[in-house]
Amino acid sequence: MTDRKRVFSGIQPTGNIHLGNYMGALRNWVKLQDEYDAIYCVVDLHAITVPYDPSELAQSRLATAKALLAIGVDPSRSLLYYQSQVPQHAELAWLLGVDTPLGALNRMTQFKEKSEKAGQKLGLYAYPVLMAADILVHRAHAVPVGNDQTQHLELARDIAVRFNGKFGETFPVPEQITPRVGARVMSLQDPTAKMSKSDPDDSSRILVFDEPDTIVKKLKRAVTDSGSEVAYDPVNKPGISNLLEILSLFTDRSIDDLVNEHNAMQYGRFKQLVADAVVEGLTRIRTNYKTLEDGEVGRLMTKGALDARMRAEEQMVEVRRLVGLGSGTIS
Ligand code: TYM
């Protein structure tokens, strides 16, 4: 194990990866690989907390793994695996869950939202504890995520602090890493709601693998605001502000710069400009994806899981000892 700080993050294998995932989290995953000991996970155990089709899950796990590789997660610099192949995640979730107050779980807004559709199930309720276990099983110092995960991450921090208080300093209290621009990418159809994979309206989101003409169409149809000025004002002009954030990220230019340059541009032309930048930015990812071969990706994921198991087991030996379950190794 290296002595660099560790970063951990996960993504659910449901649906297709969209611009929110990319801008809020995945770009950082790629960037942080150089600076940190990076551990990334396709969190398939989280995905089954809502109704799903088992045969589709097998497909979407693989598609998500391939997408991560295409985006730039590099197995020679970071660990990448499927959560379900590393049973220590679920084991630690149990050990942490036994001492997690229901009051804390009752406050989780994602549980409230999701359980309205999926029903009140234990898996959905315990979801944030499993998420804490994901992070803590690797004793991660930092977690790159979008803003929608802030509440879950706060709970993970509380869980770490509670464990450390009871059993002695064991887990680093993980810091959240969010990007300056793109921490909360908004829906193209309702810029007051976040872009999300569960929105029934396809045109609310751009997928990383959308065809160029689909991207152009979706952006042209994006809801903008009254007035005609290209200005950054997320409260009064959420639609244009969202597009400015997207453009800023894909052109690597500051929002101020972009506003100065395009202030008087008509909305239609501005949307085309954004579309061109997004299409160009995503081309490399689409091209990379095509070069990835399913069998090879499968082998990479198996190797990742074996490495991750060894690393997680090292932590679990210590955790089991601390909580009074011996070393957990049967002799
Ligand atoms: P998930 O799969 O919903 O999303 C993956 C990542 O994408 C970010 N994201 C966004 N960022 C900006 N704007 C948006 N509109 C947007 N939509 C999604 C999410 O914040 C996330 O970083 N619970 C997590 C998965 C998870 C996890 C973990 C993350 C499980 N265990 C441990 C970190 C650490 C989730 O459902 O993400």
Side-chain angles (χ1 to χ4, degrees):
M1 197 177 291
T2 69
D3 44 16
R4 276 186 306 174
K5 287 202 165 181
R6 276 175 303 281
V7 73
F8 177 90
S9 198
I11 183 165
Q12 295 201 50
T14 46
N16 270 316
I17 292 177
H18 56 69
L19 224 48
N21 302 133
Y22 179 66
M23 292 173 58
L26 303 180
R27 269 185 97 244
N28 267 344
W29 289 24
V30 174
K31 278 194 201 158
L32 295 167
Q33 295 179 114
D34 291 325
E35 203 184 318
Y36 285 84
D37 175 17
I39 308 175
Y40 300 130
C41 190
V42 177
V43 291
D44 44 9
L45 294 178
H46 279 94
I48 61 174
T49 56
V50 291
Y52 72 101
D53 174 342
S55 55
E56 267 175 31
L57 180 61
Q59 285 304 312
S60 50
R61 277 163 106 223
L62 180 65
T64 304
K66 284 173 76 175
L68 294 174
L69 294 166
I71 285 170
V73 172
D74 172 2
S76 70
R77 286 182 294 159
S78 49
L79 192 52
L80 177 67
Y81 63 98
Y82 297 126
Q83 181 187 32
S84 60
Q85 294 187 337
V86 179
Q88 287 85 354
H89 285 252
E91 181 188 359
L92 183 60
W94 180 263
L95 297 182
L96 300 174
V98 291
D99 199 28
T100 302
L102 298 192
L105 298 176
N106 290 335
R107 281 196 292 277
M108 296 292 119
T109 50
Q110 287 209 357
F111 171 70
K112 290 180 201 162
E113 283 162 19
K114 287 188 181 173
S115 61
E116 266 177 33
K117 287 186 216 142
Q120 297 208 341
K121 307 277 174 68
L122 179 60
L124 208 47
Y125 197 53
Y127 180 116
V129 182
L130 179 58
M131 181 162 158
D134 298 338
I135 299 163
L136 301 181
V137 82
H138 289 295
R139 302 185 64 243
H141 300 91
V143 184
V145 281
N147 272 354
D148 62 333
Q149 297 300 316
T150 299
Q151 199 186 29
H152 285 159
L153 206 67
E154 276 166 7
L155 181 71
R157 294 162 62 85
D158 290 347
I159 288 176
V161 168
R162 189 174 308 109
F163 189 99
N164 291 346
K166 220 166 152 181
F167 300 107
E169 282 308 309
T170 309
F171 300 122
V173 179
E175 300 291 336
Q176 176 167 348
I177 299 181
T178 37
R180 208 173 28 80
V181 169
R184 188 175 180 82
V185 179
M186 307 311 270
S187 153
L188 298 180
Q189 289 304 309
D190 173 7
T192 61
K194 74 166 183 182
M195 184 178 286
S196 141
K197 58 181 165 268
S198 55
D199 191 321
D201 182 355
D202 272 350
S203 57
S204 68
R205 62 187 157 258
I206 290 172
L207 301 179
V208 168
F209 295 112
D210 271 342
E211 295 294 329
D213 55 341
T214 310
I215 295 176
V216 173
K217 230 183 280 161
K218 286 179 177 174
L219 277 164
K220 288 231 150 152
R221 288 191 46 212
V223 169
T224 39
D225 320 287
S226 55
S228 57
E229 209 192 355
V230 173
Y232 188 70
D233 178 352
V235 176
N236 298 309
K237 291 174 92 65
I240 285 292
S241 301
N242 195 36
L243 297 183
L244 271 166
E245 292 212 14
I246 295 173
L247 186 61
S248 163
L249 186 121
F250 279 95
T251 55
D252 232 345
R253 294 182 59 194
S254 75
I255 289 181
D256 280 352
D257 249 20
L258 294 171
V259 168
N260 280 339
E261 189 174 331
H262 305 305
N263 184 264
M265 189 180 269
Q266 283 182 340
Y267 283 172
R269 272 196 62 208
F270 181 67
K271 286 173 171 180
Q272 182 66 52
L273 198 71
V274 179
D276 291 345
V278 173
V279 168
E280 193 191 318
L282 296 180
T283 299
R284 181 188 53 83
I285 299 174
R286 287 157 48 84
T287 315
N288 287 349
Y289 191 89
K290 288 186 192 135
T291 67
L292 293 164
E293 199 253 307
D294 290 0
E296 183 57 29
V297 173
R299 281 188 288 281
L300 270 174
M301 295 305 279
T302 304
K303 181 175 180 314
L306 293 173
D307 290 350
R309 271 191 205 177
M310 279 191 358
R311 292 183 54 171
E313 181 58 15
E314 263 178 51
Q315 309 300 341
M316 286 309 293
V317 168
E318 174 68 358
V319 170
R320 291 186 204 110
R321 189 186 63 74
L322 287 169
V323 303
L325 295 173
S327 71
T329 37
I330 303 167
S331 52

